[in-house]
Amino acid sequence: MALATDVPKESFRLSMLIYDSRYRAVTIQVVVLLCFGLFVAWLLNNVVQNLAARGKVFDYGFLWARAGYDINQQLIPYTNDSNHFRALLVGLLNTLVVAFFGCIFATILGIFVGVLRLSKNWLVSRLMTVYVEMFRNVPLLLWILLSYVIFSEAMPEPKAFRVTDEMVAAGQEPAASMLFFDSVAITNRGTSIPAPLFSRGLGSVDLGFVSLNLTFLATTVVLGLSIWANRRLRASARATQEATGIRPVIWWKSLLILLAPIVLLFIAMGFHLDYPALKGFNFQGGLQVAHSFTALLIALTLYTAAFIAEIVRAGIQAISRGQSEAAFALGLRPGRTMSLVILPQALRVIIPPLISQYLNLTKNTSLGIAVSYLDLRGTLGGITLNQTGRELECMLLMMVIYLIISLCISAVMNFYNKTVQLKAR
Amino acid sequence: MAENFVRSQMLPPEAPPASQSGALSWVRENLFSGPLNTILTLLGLLSLYWLVSSSLPWWLNSVWHASSLGECRTIVAASAGEGATGACWAVIRERWHQFLFGFYPQDSYWRPVLALGLLFAALAPVLFAGQKRNLAIILGCVAVFLLITLPLGGAGLVAGLLVAVLLAALLALSQSRPQGLLWFTAIYPGLCFWLLWGGPIWTPIAALAGFVVLWVVFRLLSPRIGVPVAAGVGFVAAVLWWLFAMGPVVGTLAGLLPMGLPKVNSDQFGGFLLAITIGVTAISCSLPIGILLALGRQSDMIIVKALSVAFIEFIRGVPLITLLFTASLLLQYFLPPGTNFDIILRVIILVTLFASAYIAEVIRGGLAALPRGQYEAADALGLDYWQAQRLIILPQALKISIPGIVSSFIGLFKDTTLVAFVGLMDPLKGVTQIVRADINWKGIYWEPYIFVGAIFFVICFSMSRYSMYLERKLKTDHR
């Protein structure tokens, strides 16, 4: 009778490290780790030697030294007496503000174009195809440079807006005029838009190195409360609908909840607009927006919107035709079909690539250097780096900051993605 | 009794009513099917009209012969009346060579042109594997292209004859043994480097000889000490050859047989020559690295996986500009003191690493999309890891990821314009700035940007069309 015998126990040989699949993985990993460790050690050694040869030390102390340069767009108070860290913060905020508005505008435009590209209207869908292909196949840098050049060279000088007494007498029009009911002036020096001002603002509280703007804080809090109350209202309406089958009419209540508190708050704080006006050689008053910001924002928006349009189109096309046919069979109108049936499903396909477009847009804001927009790259990685000569510290810090921004965006968007994805049961 | 009438033959079908066919119905269905559609059509027509009416005179009044912007404007004003606008293409006519070649020596323009032509000859066996007709068409096109451009670019008779012989040989090879063309693809990088940068011909030959060393050592040792160890030893031997033996060998050979082309420095490169050099090199190097990184990220080995993930996420998290500045400012810190090598090479390395992280993510998507059964079937057949990847997994995964890979390539090619920020002369910012700084052409902007943008558009658009062709060709499922 045959007996099952154990596999004869092999003694361990050195060659088994390579040829035995039980040990090979370990061997490879140890070798990889060793090589990587050696590589890192080699890099660090080189860095130490190079720093010593240049007589430098790795030190971030320079961040607290006086910066000594001006930044033309500052969202927090900054003078050239502030330190480099403050300049870094100003630059970081400039990066974030372009990225923020860019993402919003690009999403709106992209969805619009993506839906229109699928339109049955032959002319409109062709026009949108031309737009998408044109912007996707030409470098972003070209759009940034071109829009900046158009703004700064093709726009009229401030003096072209002047209306003199002789011109009034002769019935002549000035060479250039302001847009949107005399509220926006685009000159070759910058764009002047009306500035929101509060005559009875709440002031601000100084908290050490940042000052907290109470007006802004109050607006945010009121808006947040309104949105929260509106969600409660909608939830209760849904509960009523599920209990009785009839959805109560709430649109005017929700409009009231969303608008009334903020309007009241603005009236209480004395909200008014400060319009720009031509005084002397340039426009005074209002908010001066530098062309570098406008050009960067426009170029980023148009460029990214073309990519988002493609994503939206692919997402809508990924939903099978049966879905829209079923919706039509239920008697839904095309608009309702889109908003209730197609888009919620398409959203699941759209969001993951949308996240990477937002990341791309944020990283592409660093191209602002082409039009001298002082973002993080322009302050920390530009002027600060050149002034202090600390390439290693500045570049490493800048990379870490960009990395953190990217990780934050993808974390937030991934969380949102989780809430819209199908819940697997 | 009433007589029943039964028709004995069928009537021909009636033509559809006039409102349901023809141009009128098409217009009604596609442009004016509802109030919303009508509004959209009218808006579209309005914007089209605005676009055409504002730019058509500008195009029609184009000026090709002038020596400055001011002269252009005078000509336009003289021919089309005061206040008319007109394009001034004279700037392109005068400076086209800078947009294409930067400051590359004018009498050597045939060298980059030849390198470009041969690039297509080298790509043909990869892009159209084994299709004799397509290969012949491409090689024929290359031959015609070179026939026209080489004399214009100042190539000598000897160079022309050598190129003719080479192309004839390639054409013959493509019809007899199409696989053999891959050898040309293999030696093309060395040839291209030599054509572009010049120097003694022995440098690329000795560099390629390093691979021969690797292969010889591998073949000699692999029966005795096994494949993996032999590959490692061969690699070390090749590195030793490149580091220590290559310099003296090239020096000796160049002393004995001084054959070569005049040297061209990297700072003379510019325009599309620079963009294409960086783009093509980075594209071809980033694909294999990207595949390895994707496999590393999918690997079961925890350390390999962690390193791959860290690398990919780091590269994808920072803008390309910071990496380019790393190339120009930081590499001097990370390399041994006194090391200093070519800025173009440094940029190419960093751009390659950047692109490979993105390609790795695309390929990882393809790997993840493969059904688990494919991996299990490969294991069941007894294939080892590399065989399974090579024969079963990667062909399918790469096929799925073609659109993503090509769009990464397009992005990479567009991103080559960013090298302007580290002082290289890219066609967009570098050269255009030089042209716009010229006192004659101060204030010109549409023309250079349209010219450069159009070339980028043609290249990127044809790349995306090729990817669509490939997708259709490789599609094997029936849907």
Side-chain angles (χ1 to χ4, degrees):
Chain A
M1 204 166 136
L3 280 176
T5 51
D6 282 343
V7 180
K9 205 167 165 56
E10 281 181 84
S11 60
F12 181 78
R13 278 173 285 109
L14 208 58
S15 63
M16 280 166 73
L17 281 181
I18 292 177
Y19 296 109
D20 192 320
S21 58
R22 282 171 297 178
Y23 305 114
R24 193 194 284 153
V26 181
T27 321
I28 292 175
Q29 296 197 62
V30 169
V31 170
V32 166
L33 198 63
L34 261 178
C35 290
F36 180 70
L38 281 176
F39 180 66
V40 170
W42 180 71
L43 286 186
L44 286 180
N45 180 39
N46 285 337
V47 169
V48 170
Q49 278 188 8
N50 280 313
L51 282 175
R54 287 175 169 77
K56 291 180 179 175
V57 278
F58 189 78
D59 177 21
Y60 276 105
F62 71 92
L63 281 177
W64 313 109
R66 178 177 178 273
Y69 58 90
D70 288 311
I71 301 177
N72 58 0
Q73 178 187 322
Q74 39 202 354
L75 300 178
I76 53 174
Y78 170 86
T79 62
N80 56 18
D81 280 330
S82 311
N83 56 25
H84 284 296
F85 183 71
R86 190 87 181 170
L88 184 165
L89 284 183
V90 174
L92 178 60
L93 282 176
N94 284 349
T95 294
L96 291 179
V97 78
V98 173
F100 179 74
F101 284 114
C103 286
I104 292 179
F105 294 152
T107 311
I108 296 171
L109 185 64
I111 291 177
F112 196 67
V113 173
V115 171
L116 281 188
R117 221 190 139 177
L118 286 176
S119 147
K120 271 191 284 183
N121 191 320
W122 183 85
L123 179 72
V124 171
S125 68
R126 286 310 125 98
L127 281 179
M128 293 305 148
T129 310
V130 169
Y131 161 75
V132 168
E133 292 298 343
M134 206 167 90
F135 275 83
R136 265 160 43 102
N137 287 313
V138 171
L140 169 63
L141 190 60
L142 187 142
W143 302 116
I144 296 178
L145 289 172
L146 189 62
S147 52
Y148 182 71
V149 166
I150 290 175
F151 269 117
S152 59
E153 296 192 14
M155 288 301 156
E157 291 179 43
K159 69 177 182 200
F161 290 82
R162 190 184 308 280
V163 186
T164 53
D165 291 339
E166 296 94 71
M167 287 167 77
V168 175
Q172 283 174 332
E173 290 286 310
S177 53
M178 294 167 75
L179 307 171
F180 301 117
F181 308 108
D182 278 358
S183 63
V184 175
I186 305 176
T187 70
N188 62 353
R189 298 191 196 170
T191 306
S192 304
I193 59 171
L197 286 184
F198 297 95
S199 50
R200 293 183 295 276
L202 300 175
S204 53
V205 177
D206 202 16
L207 299 172
F209 75 106
V210 287
S211 66
L212 198 60
N213 189 335
L214 284 181
T215 313
F216 179 71
L217 191 70
T219 314
T220 319
V221 168
V222 168
L223 265 182
L225 282 176
S226 306
I227 290 172
W228 176 77
N230 187 38
R231 289 179 75 136
R232 289 293 304 270
L233 181 71
R234 290 171 64 109
S236 80
R238 199 173 306 122
T240 319
Q241 183 181 18
E242 288 189 356
T244 63
I246 301 164
R247 190 176 175 84
V249 181
I250 55 157
W251 64 265
W252 59 273
K253 282 187 207 161
S254 104
L255 214 59
L256 204 65
I257 289 179
L258 282 180
L259 288 182
I262 195 80
V263 169
L264 284 177
L265 179 77
F266 273 20
I267 292 174
M269 292 196 299
F271 175 81
H272 62 276
L273 289 174
D274 180 26
Y275 290 102
L278 187 63
K279 283 185 192 127
F281 293 110
N282 204 351
F283 277 88
Q284 306 287 327
L287 211 60
Q288 303 287 332
V289 184
H291 280 329
S292 49
F293 175 80
T294 328
L296 186 61
L297 184 61
I298 289 179
L300 279 174
T301 303
L302 290 177
Y303 182 79
T304 314
F307 285 87
I308 293 182
E310 277 298 273
I311 292 171
V312 170
R313 184 176 73 107
I316 292 177
Q317 278 180 336
I319 307 304
S320 76
R321 262 204 78 66
Q323 295 287 329
S324 52
E325 280 163 5
F328 289 146
L330 286 175
L332 292 179
R333 276 171 277 132
R336 303 283 277 176
T337 307
M338 201 60 168
S339 64
L340 292 177
V341 179
I342 307 291
L343 276 185
Q345 297 184 71
L347 217 54
R348 295 191 194 113
V349 188
I350 290 173
I351 285 181
L354 197 62
I355 301 175
S356 64
Q357 283 309 320
Y358 286 167
L359 290 174
N360 280 346
L361 192 148
T362 311
K363 284 180 284 173
N364 281 338
T365 56
S366 58
L367 294 190
I369 182 188
V371 290
S372 316
Y373 181 65
L374 284 181
D375 62 345
L376 185 63
R377 165 73 196 80
T379 55
L380 175 69
I383 306 179
T384 296
L385 186 150
N386 288 335
Q387 275 189 10
T388 59
R390 299 199 171 264
E391 296 105 351
L392 199 58
E393 291 91 336
C394 287
M395 295 299 296
L396 286 182
L397 186 60
M398 191 165 76
M399 284 186 176
V400 168
I401 293 177
Y402 273 117
L403 209 53
I404 291 174
I405 298 176
S406 298
L407 291 180
C408 286
I409 293 178
S410 53
V412 169
M413 291 301 290
N414 280 331
F415 173 75
Y416 178 61
N417 191 20
K418 280 223 177 68
T419 61
V420 289
Q421 290 303 325
L422 267 187
K423 308 283 183 295
R425 272 183 276 263
Chain B
M1 198 174 151
E3 211 164 301
N4 283 340
F5 173 75
V6 178
R7 193 182 292 282
S8 58
Q9 75 253 78
M10 291 289 266
L11 279 179
E14 284 280 342
S19 63
Q20 293 300 311
S21 66
L24 203 66
S25 124
W26 183 88
V27 165
R28 208 172 57 186
E29 248 171 54
N30 288 292
L31 298 179
F32 301 103
S33 61
L36 181 70
N37 240 341
T38 311
I39 295 172
L40 281 179
T41 307
L42 291 180
L43 280 179
L45 282 176
L46 208 66
S47 52
L48 210 60
Y49 170 75
W50 176 80
L51 213 69
V52 169
S53 67
S54 57
S55 68
L56 197 63
W58 187 81
W59 288 98
L60 288 180
N61 297 337
S62 296
V63 176
W64 284 91
H65 296 272
S67 59
S68 72
L69 185 60
E71 199 185 328
C72 267
R73 291 196 174 138
T74 336
I75 294 175
V76 170
S79 65
E82 204 62 42
T85 55
C88 186
W89 299 109
V91 64
I92 307 297
R93 194 186 155 78
E94 189 184 299
R95 298 299 190 97
W96 63 271
H97 49 89
Q98 279 186 355
F99 281 106
L100 296 189
F101 298 103
F103 290 116
Y104 206 84
Q106 295 224 5
D107 55 349
S108 300
Y109 279 172
W110 63 274
R111 280 157 54 179
V113 167
L114 178 59
L116 180 71
L118 293 183
L119 169 69
F120 284 99
L123 280 180
V126 182
L127 297 185
F128 300 97
Q131 304 172 12
K132 285 185 183 173
R133 212 174 119 246
N134 281 345
L135 286 179
I137 291 175
I138 290 195
L139 287 174
C141 289
V142 167
V144 172
F145 169 72
L146 291 179
L147 195 71
I148 299 170
T149 51
L150 281 189
L152 292 176
L157 194 63
V158 183
L161 283 179
L162 281 177
V163 172
V165 171
L166 176 67
L167 279 177
L170 287 179
L171 206 56
L173 198 60
S174 76
Q175 298 311 306
S176 56
R177 269 184 56 239
Q179 294 301 318
L181 279 183
L182 286 172
W183 281 106
F184 178 68
T185 310
I187 63 163
Y188 176 76
L191 185 62
C192 175
F193 169 81
W194 178 64
L195 279 175
L196 290 181
W197 273 272
I201 194 173
W202 305 111
T203 316
I205 290 182
L208 287 174
F211 290 101
V212 179
V213 168
L214 197 163
W215 187 77
V216 167
V217 170
F218 176 73
R219 284 306 291 265
L220 283 181
L221 292 184
S222 60
R224 281 176 222 149
I225 55 175
V227 172
V229 182
V233 174
F235 183 70
V236 171
V239 169
L240 287 177
W241 164 269
W242 283 320
L243 283 182
F244 300 109
M246 201 176 114
V249 167
V250 170
T252 329
L253 282 172
L256 289 176
L257 268 176
M259 285 204 308
L261 291 167
K263 252 183 143 40
V264 178
N265 281 332
S266 282
D267 53 3
Q268 292 172 297
F269 280 59
F272 278 97
L273 168 61
L274 181 71
I276 293 178
T277 308
I278 295 178
V280 170
T281 322
I283 283 174
S284 42
C285 297
S286 64
L287 189 60
I289 302 179
I291 293 176
L292 287 182
L293 280 173
L295 290 179
R297 196 170 179 166
Q298 294 289 84
S299 160
D300 296 330
M301 293 185 265
I302 192 144
I303 293 175
V304 175
K305 182 173 177 169
L307 287 178
S308 308
V309 170
F311 178 82
I312 292 173
E313 292 304 324
F314 169 72
I315 297 274
R316 277 162 45 93
V318 298
L320 177 57
I321 282 196
T322 59
L323 291 177
L324 289 177
F325 274 91
T326 307
S328 75
L329 294 174
L330 287 200
L331 232 48
Q332 49 175 342
Y333 283 98
F334 290 124
L335 295 175
T339 325
N340 192 12
F341 59 95
D342 198 83
I343 177 77
I344 292 187
L345 187 58
R346 282 189 269 169
V347 163
I348 286 178
I349 292 174
L350 267 293
V351 171
T352 305
L353 293 182
F354 181 76
S356 57
Y358 281 82
I359 288 182
E361 280 302 273
V362 172
I363 294 177
R364 183 172 74 109
L367 288 174
L370 274 196
R372 187 86 215 121
Q374 296 291 328
Y375 293 86
E376 286 161 358
D379 285 344
L381 285 176
L383 300 179
D384 69 18
Y385 180 78
W386 289 110
Q387 283 173 329
Q389 297 297 342
R390 193 162 52 87
L391 300 172
I392 312 269
I393 309 298
L394 279 181
Q396 300 182 66
L398 288 180
K399 191 178 91 181
I400 302 175
S401 15
I402 283 174
I405 293 176
V406 174
S407 63
S408 301
F409 283 168
I410 293 177
L412 168 64
F413 186 63
K414 286 187 295 180
D415 280 346
T416 56
T417 51
L418 303 194
V419 299
F421 297 117
V422 291
L424 293 176
M425 254 189 309
D426 80 302
L428 196 55
K429 192 163 152 54
V431 175
T432 308
Q433 215 161 38
I434 291 173
V435 170
R436 274 161 51 81
D438 187 333
I439 189 78
N440 286 335
W441 303 112
K442 207 167 165 46
I444 201 162
Y445 46 95
W446 279 112
E447 293 86 353
Y449 286 131
I450 287 180
F451 178 68
V452 175
I455 296 183
F456 266 109
F457 182 84
V458 167
I459 297 175
C460 297
F461 193 66
S462 40
M463 263 155 73
S464 73
R465 289 291 126 157
Y466 176 75
S467 98
M468 286 180 178
Y469 156 79
L470 207 57
E471 234 180 301
R472 271 199 310 277
K473 199 186 87 171
L474 294 180
K475 196 169 187 170
T476 45
D477 56 346
H478 304 284
R479 281 209 282 187

